[in-house]
Amino acid sequence: MTSKKLLPLAAMEKILKNSGAERVSDKSKAALKEVLETLAEEIAGNAVRLALHAGRKTVKSGDIKLAAKNG
């Protein structure tokens, strides 16, 4: 999964440092990237299904929020 360039590793480091980490390993950045991309793909897929169920082609912010809330 690391071949996908959806989320930059620099953003992962920033998230970890903003959460209180003083130092961040390359492996931890890659692990967070993989987890977040997987979670994002699941949420996006659920949001698309919600939009289609509502008879829309457009995914709206409410679809994303509901999909994230419902896991």
Side-chain angles (χ1 to χ4, degrees):
M1 253 188 136
T2 55
S3 64
K4 286 195 268 180
K5 194 66 173 160
L6 297 175
L7 299 173
L9 290 177
M12 302 304 102
E13 182 172 10
K14 190 169 192 170
I15 290 169
L16 288 161
K17 286 198 171 188
N18 286 346
S19 296
E22 287 188 38
R23 296 175 58 188
V24 178
S25 73
D26 288 342
K27 286 186 179 182
S28 69
K29 289 184 269 188
L32 181 58
K33 172 183 164 52
E34 185 177 330
V35 168
L36 290 179
E37 286 177 346
T38 299
L39 184 58
E41 288 174 359
E42 290 173 11
I43 291 170
N46 289 337
V48 169
R49 282 189 283 284
L50 287 168
L52 292 174
H53 180 72
R56 292 183 274 108
K57 292 182 180 179
T58 303
V59 176
K60 296 187 175 186
S61 63
D63 298 325
I64 299 292
K65 291 175 183 176
L66 186 58
K69 189 176 189 180
N70 291 336

